[in-house]
Amino acid sequence: MSSPRNTSPAPSAGGYLPAVLKEYPSGWLIEYYVTHPQTGKLARRKVKLTRIVSRYARKTDARRHAAGMIAHINEQLAGGWNPFLEGEDARMYERLTDVADRFLSSRRRELRPATVRTYDSVVGLFARWCDERFPGMYSSVFGRGHAVRYMDYLYDERGVGAATYNNTLKVLRLLFTWMRERCYTRQNPFEQVRAKARRGKRRTLVPRETRAEIARYLTEHGRGGFLLVCRLVYNSLIRPGEIKQLRVGDVNLAAHYITVPGEVAKNHKTRLASITPAITEALEAMKLERFPKDYYLLGGHLAPSKEPMGTRRLAKEWDRLRRDLALPPEMQLYSLRDTGIFDMLKAGIDDLSVMQHADHSSLDITTIYANHRDPHLTERIWRDAPEF
């Protein structure tokens, strides 16, 4: 076999080798090299000329045709053209951080604000990590090894707990599922990363005497707005994150309920949360009719306001209360919701009603709350257990 007629030129400064004609005995072809976006190395590309050559009786005419093709290819290469970034595979070579931004933009149009903040936090931290360690990485290059390294970074270097680890894993799996569906990658590298084993919830119930102490303390210190929050969590089973988004127009005092809109609710389903006489009295004292219906029910000063309260406001209020009353760390604001569900079940309200009131997706979730340790269990068994 004879050697090809032309030899390859030296690499250009633009990351490619210009196209040249190769006249092999087995057939002519145009050959050039261009940087592959995934490996960063020069990769060979070729254009077979068998059919074109067969059209000409003289090789000189065939070479003239090939020369025109070569000139066109080299002009494109000089202008920055890369054939690997065309067609179906083009999205595979988008920057990972750019794709992550597009994912967040799509989520902002579909999810409630609290969930969007979680996505922004999780994906934002992930994108910054990628940008620091692998600047300019393409979406299709991120693999399982990278995923394991990132999750190890969270757990070992940042010291996150199992709950945060697992929530991060869940969001990043959703990110790469979205990327795979839209042809930015062919794999989901987080699918094979195992979640961490989680211990039971650290929250504990809030006994009746403690709730009375909380009510007395908040009343004496002029913190009626936060007392209303506590009652909404305990009696109406409205989650703290949902309370932040409620509007004045969601309150129906005459019918004794507050509407929790789907875009606010954790489960994305609109529900009617019942209110008690004490909650009704507190809402009536706020003179809600004086405020526009689109005002936040509990805004910046835990009163009707055009602006929402800060994202950490309720947590800070509870931390202050817990510190002043020397409550245990396991007793959290959300514990009031757990306690409300537990007390309703113990009071004989049927499981289905409690499930609907708590906005649970199944009775299985609701009955979990019946497994809390009842602080009065020993007393009840002593008093009510039948004789042998």
Side-chain angles (χ1 to χ4, degrees):
M1 177 182 293
S2 61
S3 59
R5 188 172 186 269
N6 296 322
T7 58
S8 299
S12 75
Y16 67 90
L17 295 178
V20 294
L21 175 63
K22 299 286 188 176
E23 297 182 16
Y24 292 104
S26 57
W28 292 11
L29 55 86
I30 294 173
E31 179 182 271
Y32 62 96
Y33 289 77
V34 65
T35 301
H36 194 289
Q38 190 165 353
T39 64
K41 298 179 180 179
L42 290 176
R44 181 174 180 248
R45 301 285 290 186
K46 61 183 180 180
V47 180
K48 293 184 178 180
L49 301 176
T50 304
R51 291 186 179 181
I52 293 175
V53 172
S54 67
R55 298 177 190 168
Y56 295 97
R58 298 188 305 167
K59 290 185 177 181
T60 302
D61 294 331
R63 291 190 185 106
R64 187 178 297 111
H65 187 128
M69 296 176 63
I70 289 170
H72 177 67
I73 292 173
N74 286 336
E75 182 180 359
Q76 288 183 297
L77 290 170
W81 171 70
N82 188 324
F84 291 109
L85 301 180
E86 285 191 332
E88 183 180 349
D89 290 339
R91 284 191 167 190
M92 295 285 177
Y93 307 112
E94 298 272 1
R95 283 168 52 93
L96 177 58
T97 50
D98 292 340
V99 176
D101 285 341
R102 289 174 201 161
F103 169 76
L104 290 175
S105 295
S106 72
R107 299 295 91 176
R108 291 187 188 107
R109 296 193 299 269
E110 301 170 6
L111 301 176
R112 62 195 183 102
T115 306
V116 168
R117 285 193 294 271
T118 299
Y119 277 55
D120 282 342
S121 175
V122 171
V123 178
L125 178 62
F126 169 69
R128 289 192 295 275
W129 181 86
C130 291
D131 212 26
E132 290 171 1
R133 287 165 174 74
F134 311 102
M137 173 181 276
Y138 295 114
S139 57
S140 58
V141 175
F142 192 93
R144 183 168 179 245
H146 298 107
V148 171
R149 285 182 61 182
Y150 180 67
M151 298 309 294
D152 286 347
Y153 157 76
L154 287 182
Y155 197 71
D156 298 330
E157 295 185 36
R158 291 185 67 90
V160 304
T164 301
Y165 182 97
N166 293 342
N167 288 338
T168 297
L169 183 60
K170 178 181 177 181
V171 172
L172 294 180
R173 283 174 177 171
L174 291 172
L175 165 64
F176 276 84
T177 295
W178 180 90
M179 288 169 55
R180 186 169 58 190
E181 290 172 350
R182 287 156 182 80
C183 301
Y184 289 113
T185 184
R186 290 192 175 91
Q187 60 176 325
N188 189 331
F190 288 95
E191 281 183 344
Q192 296 181 11
V193 178
R194 285 190 177 186
K196 297 289 185 184
R198 294 182 60 176
R199 292 177 294 180
K201 291 183 179 180
R202 294 179 64 247
R203 297 195 296 267
T204 187
L205 297 180
V206 184
R208 178 183 299 172
E209 55 272 19
T210 303
R211 299 198 302 275
E213 184 182 8
I214 290 172
R216 182 169 54 253
Y217 166 86
L218 292 177
T219 300
E220 291 175 354
H221 288 77
R223 296 170 63 188
F226 190 59
L227 177 56
L228 174 59
V229 169
C230 293
R231 284 174 168 157
L232 288 173
V233 175
Y234 173 78
N235 294 115
S236 300
L237 305 184
I238 304 178
R239 301 174 178 91
E242 297 169 339
I243 290 174
K244 297 175 185 178
Q245 301 298 316
L246 294 176
R247 309 278 181 156
V248 169
D250 296 327
V251 177
N252 190 324
L253 292 175
H256 311 304
Y257 67 79
I258 295 176
T259 300
V260 182
E263 61 270 21
V264 169
K266 179 181 179 180
N267 291 340
H268 311 294
K269 296 179 180 179
T270 298
R271 72 180 190 278
L272 305 181
S274 301
I275 57 178
T276 62
I279 293 175
T280 301
E281 183 180 345
L283 291 171
E284 288 175 341
M286 294 167 68
K287 308 287 185 187
L288 297 181
E289 64 276 4
R290 297 182 305 172
F291 300 96
K293 293 186 180 298
D294 63 347
Y295 266 40
Y296 289 94
L297 178 63
L298 294 166
H301 299 287
L302 297 185
S305 169
K306 185 177 182 180
E307 301 298 327
M309 72 175 76
T311 56
R312 290 278 304 159
R313 178 63 187 273
L314 296 185
K316 290 179 179 178
E317 291 279 350
W318 181 264
D319 287 344
R320 176 183 166 191
L321 179 147
R322 186 171 57 191
R323 182 177 61 252
D324 291 350
L325 297 183
L327 302 179
E330 294 80 12
M331 199 170 285
Q332 304 168 22
L333 176 58
Y334 213 103
S335 299
L336 290 172
R337 189 172 192 272
D338 293 359
T339 307
I341 296 171
F342 177 86
D343 286 351
M344 289 178 190
L345 292 170
K346 287 292 185 178
I349 299 176
D350 65 277
D351 293 359
L352 181 59
S353 295
V354 176
M355 181 196 80
Q356 293 172 340
H357 188 45
D359 188 35
H360 287 157
S361 58
S362 71
L363 284 172
D364 290 339
I365 297 175
T366 304
T367 53
I368 288 174
Y369 291 85
N371 291 326
H372 274 291
R373 170 68 183 175
D374 186 347
H376 302 291
L377 180 61
T378 301
E379 175 188 341
R380 289 180 179 177
I381 297 298
W382 176 268
R383 184 184 67 241
D384 300 330
E387 292 294 334
F388 179 74

